[in-house]
Amino acid sequence: MALEPKILAELKSSLLKEKEELEKNLERIAKPVNEKKGDYETTFENIGTDREDNATEVEEYSENFPIEKTLEKKLQDVIESLEKMEKGTYGICANCQQEIDIERLKINPSARICIKCK
Ligand SMILES: [Zn+2]
Protein backbone atom coordinates (compact mmCIF):
# COMPACT_ATOMS: atom_id res chain seq x y z
CA MET A 1 0.00 0.00 0.00
CA ALA A 2 1.48 3.30 -1.10
CA LEU A 3 1.11 6.49 0.85
CA GLU A 4 -1.57 8.89 -0.27
CA PRO A 5 -0.13 11.70 -2.40
CA LYS A 6 -1.68 14.30 -0.11
CA ILE A 7 -0.07 12.83 3.00
CA LEU A 8 3.20 12.39 1.17
CA ALA A 9 3.17 16.05 0.14
CA GLU A 10 2.53 17.09 3.74
CA LEU A 11 5.38 14.93 5.01
CA LYS A 12 7.66 16.30 2.32
CA SER A 13 6.97 19.89 3.26
CA SER A 14 7.67 19.18 6.93
CA LEU A 15 10.90 17.43 5.94
CA LEU A 16 11.96 20.44 3.89
CA LYS A 17 11.15 22.76 6.75
CA GLU A 18 13.13 20.58 9.14
CA LYS A 19 16.05 20.50 6.71
CA GLU A 20 16.12 24.27 6.50
CA GLU A 21 16.06 24.61 10.27
CA LEU A 22 18.79 22.04 10.82
CA GLU A 23 21.01 23.74 8.25
CA LYS A 24 20.47 27.09 9.92
CA ASN A 25 21.45 25.66 13.32
CA LEU A 26 24.43 23.83 11.87
CA GLU A 27 25.77 26.91 10.15
CA ARG A 28 26.17 28.60 13.52
CA ILE A 29 28.65 26.04 14.75
CA ALA A 30 29.90 24.25 11.68
CA LYS A 31 30.84 24.66 8.07
CA PRO A 32 29.51 22.46 5.30
CA VAL A 33 31.85 19.87 3.82
CA ASN A 34 29.28 18.43 1.47
CA GLU A 35 26.01 20.31 1.69
CA LYS A 36 24.14 17.91 -0.56
CA LYS A 37 24.93 15.01 1.70
CA GLY A 38 24.47 16.97 4.91
CA ASP A 39 28.10 16.58 5.80
CA TYR A 40 29.36 19.23 8.20
CA GLU A 41 32.45 19.93 10.21
CA THR A 42 32.50 21.68 13.56
CA THR A 43 34.26 25.01 13.22
CA PHE A 44 37.28 25.55 15.35
CA GLU A 45 37.25 29.23 16.01
CA ASN A 46 40.55 30.94 16.36
CA ILE A 47 39.97 33.51 19.05
CA GLY A 48 43.55 34.25 19.92
CA THR A 49 46.90 32.72 20.58
CA ASP A 50 47.47 33.06 24.31
CA ARG A 51 46.81 30.20 26.67
CA GLU A 52 43.44 31.45 27.85
CA ASP A 53 42.19 31.98 24.32
CA ASN A 54 43.31 28.53 23.36
CA ALA A 55 41.46 27.03 26.31
CA THR A 56 38.28 28.85 25.29
CA GLU A 57 38.65 27.60 21.74
CA VAL A 58 39.00 24.01 22.87
CA GLU A 59 36.10 24.37 25.27
CA GLU A 60 33.82 25.79 22.61
CA TYR A 61 34.83 23.13 20.19
CA SER A 62 34.18 20.28 22.59
CA GLU A 63 30.82 21.80 23.47
CA ASN A 64 29.79 22.24 19.86
CA PHE A 65 31.13 18.96 18.57
CA PRO A 66 28.43 16.64 20.01
CA ILE A 67 25.70 19.14 19.08
CA GLU A 68 27.03 19.28 15.55
CA LYS A 69 27.09 15.48 15.32
CA THR A 70 23.48 15.18 16.52
CA LEU A 71 22.22 17.84 14.11
CA GLU A 72 24.23 16.35 11.28
CA LYS A 73 22.83 12.88 11.89
CA LYS A 74 19.31 14.28 11.91
CA LEU A 75 19.94 16.25 8.73
CA GLN A 76 21.27 13.17 6.98
CA ASP A 77 18.13 11.23 7.95
CA VAL A 78 16.02 14.06 6.54
CA ILE A 79 18.01 14.12 3.29
CA GLU A 80 17.78 10.35 3.02
CA SER A 81 14.01 10.49 3.51
CA LEU A 82 13.67 13.09 0.78
CA GLU A 83 15.75 10.94 -1.55
CA LYS A 84 13.57 7.95 -0.75
CA MET A 85 10.50 10.01 -1.64
CA GLU A 86 12.04 10.65 -5.04
CA LYS A 87 12.72 6.96 -5.52
CA GLY A 88 9.35 5.91 -4.17
CA THR A 89 10.81 3.88 -1.32
CA TYR A 90 9.81 6.27 1.42
CA GLY A 91 8.09 4.87 4.50
CA ILE A 92 9.75 1.47 4.40
CA CYS A 93 11.59 0.32 7.52
CA ALA A 94 15.35 0.13 6.90
CA ASN A 95 15.55 -2.87 9.18
CA CYS A 96 12.60 -5.18 8.51
CA GLN A 97 11.43 -3.72 5.14
CA GLN A 98 7.88 -3.42 6.42
CA GLU A 99 5.84 -0.25 6.02
CA ILE A 100 6.35 2.27 8.79
CA ASP A 101 3.12 3.25 10.50
CA ILE A 102 1.74 6.50 9.11
CA GLU A 103 1.15 7.91 12.58
CA ARG A 104 4.83 7.43 13.35
CA LEU A 105 5.81 9.20 10.14
CA LYS A 106 3.55 12.10 10.95
CA ILE A 107 5.33 12.60 14.25
CA ASN A 108 8.76 11.92 12.85
CA PRO A 109 8.83 12.17 9.04
CA SER A 110 12.51 11.22 8.90
CA ALA A 111 12.05 7.95 10.79
CA ARG A 112 14.15 5.24 9.14
CA ILE A 113 12.85 2.29 11.08
CA CYS A 114 9.44 1.16 12.27
CA ILE A 115 8.21 1.20 15.84
CA LYS A 116 8.94 -2.53 16.30
CA CYS A 117 12.57 -2.18 15.26
CA LYS A 118 13.12 0.96 17.27
ZN1 LIG B 1 11.00 -2.57 11.15
Side-chain angles (χ1 to χ4, degrees):
M1 189 199 80
L3 284 168
E4 275 176 59
K6 189 175 164 276
I7 292 171
L8 203 59
E10 275 169 29
L11 292 171
K12 189 175 179 179
S13 80
S14 42
L15 279 168
L16 289 170
K17 212 192 284 169
E18 197 179 354
K19 183 170 177 269
E20 209 173 289
E21 230 153 85
L22 285 164
E23 283 170 345
K24 220 193 292 166
N25 288 328
L26 270 163
E27 270 159 31
R28 285 197 206 124
I29 54 165
K31 57 174 189 290
V33 180
N34 186 337
E35 223 160 331
K36 218 173 157 227
K37 282 190 182 152
D39 198 0
Y40 281 75
E41 197 172 73
T42 311
T43 18
F44 192 91
E45 215 180 335
N46 222 339
I47 304 166
T49 45
D50 71 38
R51 199 184 297 183
E52 211 166 299
D53 287 338
N54 286 340
T56 314
E57 287 162 14
V58 171
E59 205 176 302
E60 264 185 20
Y61 181 81
S62 53
E63 260 173 37
N64 287 338
F65 188 76
I67 304 170
E68 192 266 319
K69 284 295 151 212
T70 311
L71 291 172
E72 190 183 64
K73 175 83 187 45
K74 194 93 187 89
L75 179 63
Q76 285 168 357
D77 283 351
V78 170
I79 291 172
E80 199 187 314
S81 298
L82 287 165
E83 278 171 2
K84 282 182 181 168
M85 276 184 181
E86 297 293 317
K87 285 186 220 150
T89 55
Y90 176 76
I92 308 290
C93 174
N95 191 50
C96 70
Q97 270 74 51
Q98 297 293 307
E99 279 176 31
I100 301 173
D101 192 67
I102 183 66
E103 293 311 313
R104 172 160 162 76
L105 290 172
K106 278 182 187 164
I107 297 163
N108 181 11
S110 62
R112 298 177 65 249
I113 52 172
C114 72
I115 202 92
K116 277 180 242 151
C117 298
K118 207 180 148 204

